Coordinates of all heavy atoms in Angstrom, one line a residue:
M248 N 14.0 10.7 -14.2 CA 13.6 9.7 -13.2 C 12.2 9.8 -12.9 O 11.6 11.0 -12.8 CB 14.5 9.8 -11.9 CG 14.0 9.0 -10.8 SD 14.8 9.3 -9.2 CE 16.0 8.1 -9.3
A249 N 11.5 8.8 -12.9 CA 10.0 8.7 -12.6 C 9.8 9.0 -11.1 O 10.6 8.7 -10.3 CB 9.4 7.4 -13.0
T250 N 8.7 9.7 -10.9 CA 8.3 9.9 -9.5 C 7.3 9.0 -9.0 O 6.6 8.4 -9.8 CB 7.8 11.3 -9.3 OG1 6.5 11.5 -10.1 CG2 8.7 12.5 -9.6
F251 N 7.3 8.7 -7.7 CA 6.4 7.7 -7.1 C 5.0 8.2 -7.1 O 4.8 9.4 -6.5 CB 6.9 7.3 -5.7 CG 6.2 6.2 -5.1 CD1 6.3 4.9 -5.5 CD2 5.3 6.5 -4.1 CE1 5.6 3.9 -4.9 CE2 4.5 5.5 -3.4 CZ 4.7 4.2 -3.9
D252 N 4.0 7.5 -7.5 CA 2.6 7.9 -7.5 C 2.0 7.4 -6.2 O 1.7 6.2 -6.1 CB 1.9 7.4 -8.7 CG 0.4 7.8 -8.8 OD1 -0.1 8.4 -7.8 OD2 -0.1 7.6 -9.9
Y253 N 1.9 8.3 -5.2 CA 1.3 7.9 -3.9 C -0.2 7.5 -4.0 O -0.7 7.0 -3.0 CB 1.5 9.1 -2.9 CG 3.0 9.1 -2.6 CD1 3.8 10.0 -3.2 CD2 3.5 8.4 -1.5 CE1 5.2 10.1 -2.9 CE2 4.9 8.5 -1.2 CZ 5.7 9.3 -1.9 OH 7.1 9.4 -1.5
N254 N -0.9 7.8 -5.0 CA -2.2 7.5 -5.1 C -2.6 6.2 -5.9 O -3.7 5.8 -5.9 CB -3.0 8.7 -5.9 CG -2.8 10.0 -5.1 OD1 -3.0 10.1 -4.0 ND2 -2.4 11.0 -5.8
R255 N -1.6 5.6 -6.4 CA -1.8 4.3 -7.2 C -1.6 3.1 -6.3 O -0.5 3.0 -5.6 CB -0.9 4.3 -8.4 CG -1.1 3.0 -9.2 CD -0.3 3.0 -10.5 NE -0.9 3.8 -11.4 CZ -0.5 4.0 -12.7 NH1 0.6 3.4 -13.0 NH2 -1.2 4.7 -13.5
N256 N -2.5 2.2 -6.3 CA -2.3 0.9 -5.6 C -1.4 0.0 -6.4 O -1.4 0.1 -7.6 CB -3.6 0.2 -5.2 CG -4.4 1.0 -4.3 OD1 -4.0 1.7 -3.4 ND2 -5.8 0.8 -4.4
Y257 N -0.7 -0.9 -5.7 CA 0.2 -1.8 -6.4 C 0.4 -3.1 -5.6 O 0.1 -3.1 -4.3 CB 1.5 -1.2 -6.7 CG 2.3 -0.6 -5.5 CD1 3.2 -1.3 -4.8 CD2 1.9 0.6 -5.1 CE1 3.8 -0.8 -3.7 CE2 2.6 1.2 -3.9 CZ 3.5 0.4 -3.2 OH 4.2 1.0 -2.2
G258 N 0.9 -4.1 -6.2 CA 1.2 -5.4 -5.5 C 2.5 -5.9 -6.1 O 2.9 -5.6 -7.2
I259 N 3.3 -6.6 -5.2 CA 4.6 -7.1 -5.6 C 4.8 -8.5 -5.3 O 4.3 -9.0 -4.3 CB 5.7 -6.2 -4.9 CG1 5.6 -4.7 -5.2 CG2 7.0 -6.8 -5.1 CD1 6.5 -3.8 -4.4
E260 N 5.4 -9.3 -6.2 CA 5.7 -10.7 -6.0 C 7.2 -10.8 -6.1 O 7.8 -10.3 -7.2 CB 5.1 -11.6 -7.1 CG 3.6 -11.5 -7.0 CD 2.9 -12.2 -8.2 OE1 3.6 -13.1 -8.8 OE2 1.8 -11.9 -8.6
I261 N 7.9 -11.3 -5.1 CA 9.3 -11.3 -5.1 C 9.8 -12.8 -5.0 O 9.5 -13.4 -4.0 CB 9.9 -10.5 -3.9 CG1 9.3 -9.1 -3.9 CG2 11.4 -10.6 -3.9 CD1 9.5 -8.4 -2.6
E262 N 10.4 -13.3 -6.0 CA 11.0 -14.6 -5.9 C 12.4 -14.5 -5.3 O 13.1 -13.7 -5.6 CB 11.0 -15.3 -7.3 CG 9.7 -15.5 -7.9 CD 9.7 -15.9 -9.4 OE1 10.8 -15.8 -10.0 OE2 8.6 -16.2 -9.9
F263 N 12.7 -15.5 -4.5 CA 14.0 -15.5 -3.8 C 14.6 -16.9 -3.8 O 13.8 -17.9 -3.7 CB 13.9 -14.9 -2.4 CG 13.1 -15.6 -1.5 CD1 13.5 -16.7 -0.7 CD2 11.7 -15.3 -1.4 CE1 12.6 -17.3 0.2 CE2 10.9 -16.0 -0.6 CZ 11.3 -17.0 0.2
S264 N 15.9 -17.1 -3.6 CA 16.5 -18.3 -3.4 C 17.3 -18.2 -2.1 O 17.2 -17.2 -1.3 CB 17.5 -18.6 -4.5 OG 18.0 -19.9 -4.5
W265 N 18.0 -19.2 -1.7 CA 18.6 -19.3 -0.3 C 20.0 -19.6 -0.4 O 20.4 -20.5 -1.2 CB 17.9 -20.2 0.6 CG 17.8 -19.6 1.9 CD1 18.5 -19.9 2.9 CD2 16.9 -18.7 2.4 NE1 18.2 -19.2 4.0 CE2 17.2 -18.4 3.7 CE3 15.8 -17.9 1.7 CZ2 16.5 -17.4 4.4 CZ3 15.2 -17.0 2.5 CH2 15.5 -16.7 3.8
N266 N 20.9 -19.0 0.4 CA 22.3 -19.5 0.6 C 22.2 -20.7 1.6 O 21.9 -20.5 2.7 CB 23.1 -18.4 1.3 CG 23.3 -17.2 0.3 OD1 23.5 -17.4 -0.9 ND2 23.2 -16.0 0.8
G267 N 22.5 -21.9 1.1 CA 22.4 -23.1 1.9 C 21.0 -23.5 2.1 O 20.1 -23.4 1.2
R268 N 20.7 -24.0 3.3 CA 19.4 -24.5 3.5 C 18.4 -23.4 3.9 O 18.6 -22.7 4.8 CB 19.5 -25.6 4.7 CG 18.2 -26.3 5.0 CD 18.4 -27.4 6.0 NE 17.2 -28.1 6.3 CZ 16.4 -27.8 7.2 NH1 16.8 -26.9 8.1 NH2 15.3 -28.5 7.4
C269 N 17.2 -23.4 3.2 CA 16.1 -22.5 3.5 C 15.6 -22.8 4.9 O 15.3 -23.9 5.2 CB 15.1 -22.6 2.5 SG 13.7 -21.5 2.6
P270 N 15.4 -21.8 5.7 CA 15.0 -22.0 7.1 C 13.5 -22.4 7.2 O 13.1 -22.6 8.3 CB 15.2 -20.6 7.8 CG 15.2 -19.6 6.7 CD 15.7 -20.3 5.5
G271 N 12.8 -22.4 6.2 CA 11.4 -22.7 6.2 C 10.5 -21.6 6.1 O 10.8 -20.5 6.7
Y272 N 9.3 -21.7 5.5 CA 8.5 -20.6 5.2 C 7.9 -20.1 6.6 O 7.7 -18.8 6.7 CB 7.3 -21.0 4.3 CG 7.8 -21.3 2.9 CD1 6.9 -21.9 2.1 CD2 9.1 -21.0 2.4 CE1 7.3 -22.3 0.8 CE2 9.5 -21.4 1.2 CZ 8.5 -22.0 0.3 OH 8.9 -22.3 -1.0
A273 N 7.5 -20.9 7.5 CA 7.0 -20.5 8.8 C 8.0 -19.6 9.5 O 7.6 -18.6 10.1 CB 6.5 -21.6 9.6
T274 N 9.2 -20.0 9.5 CA 10.3 -19.2 10.2 C 10.5 -17.9 9.5 O 10.6 -16.8 10.2 CB 11.6 -20.0 10.1 OG1 11.4 -21.2 10.8 CG2 12.7 -19.2 10.7
I275 N 10.5 -17.8 8.1 CA 10.6 -16.6 7.4 C 9.4 -15.7 7.7 O 9.6 -14.5 8.0 CB 10.7 -16.8 5.9 CG1 12.0 -17.6 5.6 CG2 10.8 -15.6 5.1 CD1 12.1 -18.2 4.2
A276 N 8.2 -16.2 7.6 CA 7.0 -15.4 7.9 C 7.1 -14.9 9.3 O 6.6 -13.7 9.6 CB 5.7 -16.3 7.7
R277 N 7.4 -15.6 10.3 CA 7.5 -15.2 11.7 C 8.5 -14.0 11.8 O 8.3 -13.0 12.4 CB 7.9 -16.3 12.6 CG 7.8 -16.0 14.1 CD 8.0 -17.2 15.0 NE 8.9 -18.3 14.6 CZ 8.5 -19.4 13.9 NH1 7.2 -19.7 13.8 NH2 9.3 -20.4 13.5
A278 N 9.7 -14.1 11.1 CA 10.7 -13.1 11.2 C 10.1 -11.7 10.6 O 10.4 -10.7 11.1 CB 12.0 -13.5 10.5
I279 N 9.5 -11.9 9.5 CA 8.9 -10.7 8.8 C 7.8 -10.1 9.8 O 7.8 -8.8 10.0 CB 8.3 -11.0 7.5 CG1 9.4 -11.4 6.5 CG2 7.4 -9.9 6.9 CD1 9.0 -12.0 5.2
T280 N 7.0 -10.9 10.3 CA 6.0 -10.4 11.3 C 6.6 -9.7 12.4 O 6.2 -8.6 12.9 CB 5.0 -11.5 11.7 OG1 4.3 -12.1 10.5 CG2 4.0 -11.1 12.7
E281 N 7.6 -10.3 13.0 CA 8.3 -9.7 14.2 C 9.0 -8.4 13.8 O 9.3 -7.6 14.7 CB 9.4 -10.8 14.8 CG 8.7 -11.9 15.5 CD 9.7 -13.0 15.9 OE1 10.9 -12.9 15.6 OE2 9.2 -13.9 16.5
A282 N 9.4 -8.3 12.5 CA 9.9 -7.0 12.1 C 8.9 -5.9 11.9 O 9.2 -4.8 11.6 CB 10.7 -7.2 10.8
G283 N 7.6 -6.3 12.0 CA 6.6 -5.3 12.0 C 5.6 -5.3 10.8 O 4.7 -4.5 10.6
V284 N 5.8 -6.4 10.0 CA 4.9 -6.5 8.8 C 4.2 -7.8 8.8 O 4.9 -8.9 8.8 CB 5.7 -6.4 7.4 CG1 4.9 -6.6 6.3 CG2 6.4 -5.0 7.4
A285 N 3.0 -7.9 9.0 CA 2.2 -9.2 9.0 C 2.5 -10.0 7.8 O 2.4 -9.6 6.7 CB 0.7 -8.9 9.2
C286 N 2.8 -11.3 8.1 CA 3.2 -12.2 7.0 C 2.7 -13.6 7.4 O 2.9 -14.0 8.6 CB 4.6 -12.2 6.7 SG 5.2 -13.3 5.3
E287 N 2.2 -14.4 6.4 CA 1.8 -15.8 6.7 C 2.4 -16.7 5.7 O 2.6 -16.3 4.5 CB 0.2 -15.9 6.5 CG -0.5 -15.1 7.5 CD -2.0 -15.1 7.2 OE1 -2.4 -16.0 6.2 OE2 -2.8 -14.6 7.9
A288 N 2.8 -17.9 6.2 CA 3.3 -19.0 5.3 C 2.0 -19.7 4.8 O 1.2 -20.1 5.5 CB 4.2 -19.9 6.0
Q289 N 1.9 -19.8 3.5 CA 0.8 -20.5 2.8 C 1.2 -21.5 1.8 O 2.4 -21.4 1.3 CB -0.2 -19.5 2.3 CG -0.7 -18.5 3.2 CD -1.7 -17.5 2.6 OE1 -2.0 -17.6 1.3 NE2 -2.2 -16.6 3.3
G290 N 0.3 -22.4 1.4 CA 0.5 -23.2 0.2 C 0.3 -22.4 -1.0 O -0.2 -21.3 -1.0
Y291 N 0.7 -22.9 -2.2 CA 0.6 -22.2 -3.4 C -0.9 -21.8 -3.6 O -1.7 -22.7 -3.6 CB 1.1 -23.1 -4.6 CG 1.1 -22.4 -5.8 CD1 2.1 -21.4 -6.2 CD2 0.1 -22.6 -6.8 CE1 2.1 -20.8 -7.4 CE2 0.1 -21.9 -8.0 CZ 1.1 -21.0 -8.3 OH 1.1 -20.3 -9.5
N292 N -1.1 -20.6 -4.0 CA -2.4 -20.1 -4.3 C -2.4 -18.8 -5.0 O -1.3 -18.2 -5.1 CB -3.3 -20.0 -3.0 CG -2.8 -18.9 -2.1 OD1 -3.1 -17.7 -2.3 ND2 -2.2 -19.3 -1.0
H293 N -3.6 -18.3 -5.5 CA -3.6 -17.1 -6.2 C -4.6 -16.2 -5.5 O -5.1 -15.2 -6.2 CB -4.1 -17.3 -7.7 CG -3.0 -18.0 -8.5 ND1 -1.9 -17.3 -9.0 CD2 -2.9 -19.3 -8.9 CE1 -1.1 -18.1 -9.6 NE2 -1.7 -19.3 -9.7
T294 N -4.8 -16.3 -4.3 CA -5.7 -15.5 -3.5 C -5.0 -14.2 -3.0 O -3.9 -14.3 -2.6 CB -6.2 -16.3 -2.2 OG1 -6.8 -17.5 -2.6 CG2 -7.2 -15.5 -1.4
T295 N -5.7 -13.1 -3.2 CA -5.2 -11.8 -2.7 C -5.4 -11.8 -1.3 O -6.6 -11.9 -0.8 CB -5.9 -10.7 -3.4 OG1 -5.7 -10.8 -4.8 CG2 -5.4 -9.4 -2.9
A296 N -4.3 -11.7 -0.5 CA -4.4 -11.7 1.0 C -4.4 -10.4 1.5 O -4.0 -9.4 0.9 CB -3.2 -12.5 1.5
R297 N -4.7 -10.2 2.8 CA -4.7 -8.9 3.5 C -3.4 -8.7 4.1 O -3.1 -7.6 4.6 CB -5.8 -8.9 4.6 CG -7.2 -9.0 4.0 CD -8.2 -8.9 5.2 NE -9.6 -9.0 4.7 CZ -10.3 -7.9 4.5 NH1 -9.9 -6.7 4.8 NH2 -11.5 -8.0 4.1
T298 N -2.5 -9.8 4.1 CA -1.2 -9.7 4.6 C -0.2 -10.1 3.6 O -0.6 -10.7 2.6 CB -1.0 -10.5 5.9 OG1 -1.1 -11.9 5.5 CG2 -2.0 -10.2 7.0
W299 N 1.1 -9.9 3.8 CA 2.1 -10.6 3.0 C 2.0 -12.0 3.1 O 1.6 -12.5 4.2 CB 3.5 -10.1 3.4 CG 3.8 -8.7 3.0 CD1 3.3 -7.5 3.5 CD2 4.6 -8.3 1.9 NE1 3.9 -6.5 2.8 CE2 4.7 -6.9 1.8 CE3 5.4 -9.0 0.9 CZ2 5.4 -6.2 0.9 CZ3 6.1 -8.3 0.0 CH2 6.1 -6.9 -0.1
K300 N 2.3 -12.8 2.1 CA 2.3 -14.3 2.3 C 3.6 -14.8 1.5 O 4.1 -14.2 0.6 CB 1.1 -14.9 1.6 CG 0.9 -14.7 0.2 CD -0.4 -15.3 -0.3 CE -0.6 -15.0 -1.8 NZ -1.8 -15.6 -2.3
I301 N 4.1 -15.9 2.0 CA 5.2 -16.6 1.4 C 4.7 -17.9 1.0 O 3.9 -18.7 1.7 CB 6.4 -16.8 2.4 CG1 7.5 -17.4 1.7 CG2 6.0 -17.4 3.6 CD1 8.8 -17.4 2.4
V302 N 4.9 -18.2 -0.3 CA 4.3 -19.4 -1.0 C 5.5 -20.1 -1.8 O 6.5 -19.5 -2.1 CB 3.1 -19.1 -1.9 CG1 2.0 -18.5 -1.1 CG2 3.6 -18.2 -3.0
P303 N 5.3 -21.4 -2.0 CA 6.2 -22.1 -2.9 C 6.2 -21.6 -4.3 O 5.1 -21.0 -4.8 CB 5.7 -23.6 -2.9 CG 4.8 -23.7 -1.7 CD 4.2 -22.3 -1.6
D304 N 7.2 -21.7 -5.0 CA 7.3 -21.3 -6.4 C 8.2 -22.3 -7.2 O 9.3 -22.5 -6.9 CB 8.0 -19.9 -6.6 CG 7.9 -19.4 -8.0 OD1 8.4 -20.0 -8.9 OD2 7.3 -18.3 -8.2
G305 N 7.6 -23.0 -8.0 CA 8.1 -24.1 -8.7 C 9.3 -23.7 -9.6 O 10.1 -24.6 -10.0
S306 N 9.4 -22.4 -10.0 CA 10.5 -22.0 -10.9 C 11.8 -21.6 -10.1 O 12.8 -21.4 -10.8 CB 10.1 -20.8 -11.7 OG 9.9 -19.7 -10.9
V307 N 11.7 -21.6 -8.9 CA 12.9 -21.2 -8.0 C 13.4 -22.4 -7.3 O 12.7 -23.1 -6.6 CB 12.4 -20.1 -7.0 CG1 13.6 -19.7 -6.1 CG2 11.8 -18.9 -7.7
T308 N 14.7 -22.6 -7.3 CA 15.4 -23.7 -6.7 C 15.7 -23.2 -5.2 O 16.3 -22.1 -5.0 CB 16.7 -24.0 -7.4 OG1 16.5 -24.3 -8.7 CG2 17.4 -25.2 -6.7
N309 N 15.3 -24.0 -4.2 CA 15.6 -23.7 -2.8 C 15.2 -22.4 -2.4 O 16.0 -21.6 -1.9 CB 17.1 -23.9 -2.5 CG 17.4 -24.0 -1.1 OD1 16.6 -24.4 -0.3 ND2 18.6 -23.5 -0.7
G310 N 13.9 -22.0 -2.6 CA 13.4 -20.7 -2.2 C 11.9 -20.7 -2.3 O 11.2 -21.7 -2.1
G311 N 11.4 -19.5 -2.7 CA 9.9 -19.3 -2.8 C 9.6 -18.0 -3.3 O 10.4 -17.3 -3.9
E312 N 8.4 -17.5 -3.0 CA 7.9 -16.2 -3.5 C 7.2 -15.5 -2.3 O 6.4 -16.1 -1.6 CB 7.0 -16.5 -4.6 CG 6.4 -15.2 -5.2 CD 5.7 -15.4 -6.5 OE1 4.8 -16.3 -6.5 OE2 5.9 -14.8 -7.5
L313 N 7.6 -14.3 -2.1 CA 6.8 -13.4 -1.2 C 5.9 -12.6 -2.0 O 6.2 -12.0 -3.0 CB 7.8 -12.5 -0.5 CG 8.5 -13.1 0.6 CD1 9.7 -12.2 1.1 CD2 7.5 -13.1 1.9
V314 N 4.6 -12.6 -1.6 CA 3.5 -11.8 -2.3 C 3.0 -10.8 -1.3 O 2.5 -11.1 -0.3 CB 2.5 -12.8 -2.8 CG1 1.4 -12.1 -3.6 CG2 3.0 -13.9 -3.6
S315 N 2.9 -9.6 -1.8 CA 2.3 -8.5 -0.9 C 0.8 -8.5 -1.0 O 0.2 -9.0 -2.0 CB 2.9 -7.2 -1.4 OG 2.3 -6.7 -2.6
P316 N 0.2 -7.9 0.0 CA -1.2 -7.5 -0.2 C -1.3 -6.3 -1.1 O -0.2 -5.8 -1.6 CB -1.6 -7.2 1.2 CG -0.4 -6.7 1.9 CD 0.8 -7.5 1.3
I317 N -2.4 -5.8 -1.3 CA -2.5 -4.5 -2.1 C -1.8 -3.4 -1.2 O -2.2 -3.2 0.0 CB -4.0 -4.1 -2.4 CG1 -4.6 -5.2 -3.3 CG2 -4.0 -2.8 -3.0 CD1 -6.1 -5.1 -3.5
L318 N -0.8 -2.8 -1.8 CA -0.1 -1.7 -1.2 C -0.4 -0.3 -1.8 O -0.9 -0.2 -2.9 CB 1.4 -2.0 -1.3 CG 2.0 -3.4 -0.8 CD1 3.4 -3.5 -1.2 CD2 1.8 -3.4 0.7
S319 N -0.1 0.7 -1.0 CA -0.3 2.0 -1.5 C 0.6 3.0 -0.6 O 0.9 2.7 0.5 CB -1.7 2.5 -1.5 OG -2.2 2.5 -0.1
G320 N 1.0 4.1 -1.3 CA 1.7 5.2 -0.6 C 3.0 4.7 0.1 O 3.6 3.7 -0.1
L321 N 3.4 5.7 1.0 CA 4.6 5.5 1.7 C 4.6 4.3 2.6 O 5.6 3.6 2.8 CB 4.9 6.8 2.5 CG 6.3 6.8 3.2 CD1 7.4 6.6 2.2 CD2 6.4 8.1 4.0
E322 N 3.5 4.0 3.2 CA 3.3 2.8 4.1 C 3.6 1.5 3.3 O 4.3 0.6 3.8 CB 1.9 2.7 4.7 CG 1.8 1.4 5.5 CD 0.4 1.3 6.1 OE1 -0.5 2.2 6.0 OE2 0.1 0.1 6.6
G323 N 3.2 1.4 2.1 CA 3.5 0.3 1.2 C 5.0 0.2 0.9 O 5.6 -0.9 1.0
K324 N 5.6 1.3 0.6 CA 7.1 1.3 0.4 C 7.9 0.9 1.6 O 8.8 0.2 1.5 CB 7.5 2.7 -0.1 CG 7.2 3.1 -1.5 CD 7.6 4.4 -1.9 CE 9.0 4.8 -1.9 NZ 9.4 6.1 -2.3
E325 N 7.4 1.3 2.8 CA 8.1 1.0 4.0 C 7.9 -0.5 4.3 O 8.9 -1.1 4.8 CB 7.6 1.9 5.2 CG 8.1 3.3 5.1 CD 9.6 3.5 5.1 OE1 10.3 2.7 5.7 OE2 10.0 4.3 4.3
Q326 N 6.7 -1.1 4.0 CA 6.6 -2.5 4.2 C 7.6 -3.3 3.3 O 8.2 -4.3 3.7 CB 5.1 -2.9 3.9 CG 4.2 -2.6 5.0 CD 2.8 -3.2 4.6 OE1 2.7 -4.2 3.9 NE2 1.7 -2.6 5.1
L327 N 7.6 -2.9 2.1 CA 8.6 -3.5 1.1 C 10.0 -3.4 1.7 O 10.7 -4.5 1.6 CB 8.4 -2.9 -0.3 CG 9.4 -3.4 -1.3 CD1 9.2 -4.8 -1.6 CD2 9.2 -2.5 -2.6
R328 N 10.4 -2.3 2.1 CA 11.8 -2.2 2.6 C 12.0 -3.1 3.8 O 13.0 -3.8 3.9 CB 12.1 -0.7 3.1 CG 12.3 0.3 2.0 CD 12.7 1.6 2.6 NE 12.9 2.5 1.4 CZ 12.2 3.6 1.2 NH1 11.2 3.9 2.0 NH2 12.4 4.4 0.3
T329 N 11.1 -3.2 4.7 CA 11.2 -4.0 5.9 C 11.2 -5.5 5.4 O 12.1 -6.2 6.0 CB 10.0 -3.8 6.8 OG1 10.0 -2.5 7.3 CG2 10.0 -4.8 8.0
V330 N 10.4 -5.9 4.6 CA 10.4 -7.3 4.0 C 11.7 -7.7 3.4 O 12.3 -8.7 3.8 CB 9.2 -7.5 3.1 CG1 9.4 -8.9 2.3 CG2 7.9 -7.5 3.9
L331 N 12.2 -6.8 2.6 CA 13.4 -7.1 1.8 C 14.7 -7.2 2.9 O 15.5 -8.0 2.8 CB 13.7 -6.1 0.8 CG 12.8 -6.2 -0.4 CD1 13.1 -5.0 -1.4 CD2 12.9 -7.5 -1.1
R332 N 14.7 -6.2 3.8 CA 15.8 -6.2 4.8 C 15.7 -7.5 5.6 O 16.8 -8.1 5.9 CB 15.6 -5.0 5.7 CG 16.2 -3.8 5.2 CD 16.1 -2.7 6.2 NE 16.2 -1.4 5.6 CZ 15.3 -0.4 5.7 NH1 14.2 -0.6 6.4 NH2 15.4 0.8 5.1
T333 N 14.5 -8.0 6.0 CA 14.4 -9.1 6.8 C 14.9 -10.4 6.1 O 15.6 -11.2 6.7 CB 12.9 -9.3 7.3 OG1 12.6 -8.0 8.0 CG2 12.8 -10.5 8.2
I334 N 14.4 -10.6 4.9 CA 14.8 -11.8 4.2 C 16.3 -11.8 3.9 O 17.0 -12.9 3.9 CB 13.9 -12.2 3.0 CG1 14.0 -11.1 1.9 CG2 12.5 -12.4 3.4 CD1 13.4 -11.6 0.6
K335 N 16.9 -10.6 3.6 CA 18.3 -10.5 3.3 C 19.0 -10.9 4.6 O 20.1 -11.6 4.4 CB 18.6 -9.2 2.9 CG 20.1 -8.9 2.5 CD 20.4 -7.6 2.0 CE 21.9 -7.4 1.6 NZ 22.2 -6.1 1.3
A336 N 18.6 -10.4 5.7 CA 19.3 -10.7 7.0 C 19.2 -12.2 7.3 O 20.2 -12.7 7.9 CB 18.7 -9.9 8.1
L337 N 18.2 -12.9 6.8 CA 18.1 -14.3 7.0 C 18.9 -15.1 6.0 O 19.1 -16.4 6.2 CB 16.6 -14.7 6.9 CG 15.7 -14.3 8.0 CD1 14.3 -14.6 7.7 CD2 16.1 -15.0 9.3
G338 N 19.4 -14.5 5.0 CA 20.2 -15.2 4.0 C 19.7 -15.4 2.6 O 20.2 -16.1 1.8
A339 N 18.5 -14.7 2.4 CA 17.9 -14.8 1.0 C 18.8 -14.2 0.0 O 19.6 -13.3 0.3 CB 16.5 -14.2 1.0
K340 N 18.7 -14.7 -1.2 CA 19.5 -14.1 -2.4 C 18.6 -14.3 -3.6 O 17.5 -14.9 -3.6 CB 20.8 -14.9 -2.5 CG 20.6 -16.3 -2.9 CD 21.9 -17.0 -3.2 CE 21.6 -18.4 -3.7 NZ 22.7 -18.9 -4.5
T341 N 19.1 -13.8 -4.7 CA 18.5 -13.9 -6.0 C 19.5 -14.6 -6.9 O 20.7 -14.5 -6.7 CB 17.9 -12.6 -6.6 OG1 19.0 -11.7 -6.8 CG2 16.9 -12.0 -5.8
D342 N 19.0 -15.3 -7.8 CA 19.8 -15.9 -8.9 C 19.0 -15.9 -10.2 O 18.0 -15.3 -10.3 CB 20.3 -17.3 -8.5 CG 19.1 -18.3 -8.2 OD1 18.0 -18.1 -8.8 OD2 19.4 -19.3 -7.5
R343 N 19.6 -16.6 -11.2 CA 18.9 -16.6 -12.5 C 17.4 -17.1 -12.5 O 16.7 -16.9 -13.4 CB 19.8 -17.4 -13.5 CG 21.1 -16.8 -13.6 CD 21.9 -17.5 -14.7 NE 21.7 -16.7 -15.8 CZ 22.4 -16.8 -17.0 NH1 23.3 -17.7 -17.1 NH2 22.2 -16.0 -18.0
S344 N 17.1 -17.9 -11.5 CA 15.8 -18.5 -11.5 C 14.7 -17.5 -10.8 O 13.5 -17.8 -10.9 CB 15.7 -19.8 -10.7 OG 16.0 -19.6 -9.3
C345 N 15.2 -16.4 -10.4 CA 14.3 -15.5 -9.6 C 13.9 -14.3 -10.5 O 14.5 -13.9 -11.4 CB 15.0 -14.9 -8.4 SG 15.6 -16.2 -7.2
G346 N 12.7 -13.8 -10.1 CA 12.1 -12.7 -10.8 C 11.3 -11.8 -9.8 O 11.1 -12.1 -8.7
I347 N 10.9 -10.7 -10.3 CA 10.0 -9.8 -9.5 C 8.8 -9.4 -10.5 O 9.1 -9.1 -11.6 CB 10.7 -8.6 -9.0 CG1 9.9 -7.8 -8.0 CG2 11.3 -7.7 -10.0 CD1 10.6 -6.8 -7.1
H348 N 7.6 -9.3 -9.9 CA 6.5 -8.9 -10.7 C 5.8 -7.8 -9.9 O 5.6 -7.9 -8.7 CB 5.5 -10.1 -10.9 CG 6.1 -11.3 -11.4 ND1 6.4 -12.4 -10.6 CD2 6.5 -11.6 -12.7 CE1 6.9 -13.3 -11.4 NE2 7.0 -12.9 -12.6
I349 N 5.5 -6.7 -10.6 CA 4.8 -5.6 -10.0 C 3.5 -5.4 -10.7 O 3.5 -5.3 -12.0 CB 5.7 -4.3 -10.0 CG1 7.0 -4.6 -9.4 CG2 4.9 -3.1 -9.4 CD1 8.0 -3.5 -9.5
H350 N 2.4 -5.4 -10.0 CA 1.1 -5.2 -10.5 C 0.6 -3.8 -10.1 O 0.6 -3.4 -8.9 CB 0.1 -6.2 -9.9 CG 0.5 -7.6 -10.2 ND1 0.1 -8.3 -11.3 CD2 1.4 -8.5 -9.5 CE1 0.7 -9.5 -11.3 NE2 1.5 -9.6 -10.3
H351 N 0.2 -3.0 -11.2 CA -0.3 -1.6 -10.9 C -1.7 -1.6 -11.0 O -2.4 -2.2 -11.8 CB 0.4 -0.7 -11.9 CG 1.8 -0.5 -11.8 ND1 2.4 0.4 -11.0 CD2 2.9 -1.2 -12.4 CE1 3.7 0.3 -11.1 NE2 4.0 -0.7 -11.9
D352 N -2.4 -0.8 -10.2 CA -3.8 -0.5 -10.2 C -4.2 0.1 -11.5 O -3.5 0.9 -12.1 CB -4.2 0.4 -9.1 CG -5.5 0.3 -8.6 OD1 -6.3 -0.7 -9.0 OD2 -6.0 1.0 -7.8

């Protein structure tokens, strides 16, 4: 098993779908922010943000993509856990149209 490199920066893009009707990007961003991780709903872009962002993704049906800021160390792992728990609690799911991308420094 590989060990986590606490000194390497990374970024994550998480595509998700929804059970039923998606509650809207602003609602999802607000829930993530209220859980303790700053998140903004944005239009599609490739800008590296200082916060998590939720954007449309044309390859995902009834969902979108969460994009992290540059993360590092245990704080980054905890942000990821919080974001995943929050969207799961809201009803997010994955299906064949979803993927995950991890960018390493």
Side-chain angles (χ1 to χ4, degrees):
M248 173 187 262
T250 58
F251 185 76
D252 184 346
Y253 288 92
N254 298 312
R255 179 178 278 184
N256 293 335
Y257 55 97
I259 301 174
E260 301 173 22
I261 305 162
E262 296 172 349
F263 62 90
S264 189
W265 220 262
N266 291 321
R268 186 170 180 266
C269 182
Y272 295 167
T274 300
I275 298 166
R277 187 170 35 258
I279 292 169
T280 299
E281 288 172 358
V284 177
C286 184
E287 298 178 358
Q289 298 183 5
Y291 184 79
N292 68 74
H293 290 282
T294 305
T295 302
R297 294 181 183 260
T298 66
W299 285 77
K300 64 182 179 180
I301 183 169
V302 297
D304 187 302
S306 68
V307 179
T308 304
N309 193 32
E312 183 173 47
L313 278 162
V314 181
S315 76
I317 297 171
L318 302 173
S319 63
L321 187 57
E322 180 184 345
K324 283 176 67 176
E325 290 303 320
Q326 283 186 28
L327 176 59
R328 284 186 182 114
T329 299
V330 166
L331 292 174
R332 282 187 198 119
T333 303
I334 65 170
K335 183 178 179 183
L337 290 170
K340 64 174 187 158
T341 58
D342 60 25
R343 297 185 96 166
S344 70
C345 298
I347 186 168
H348 308 103
I349 302 171
H350 303 267
H351 295 273
D352 207 9

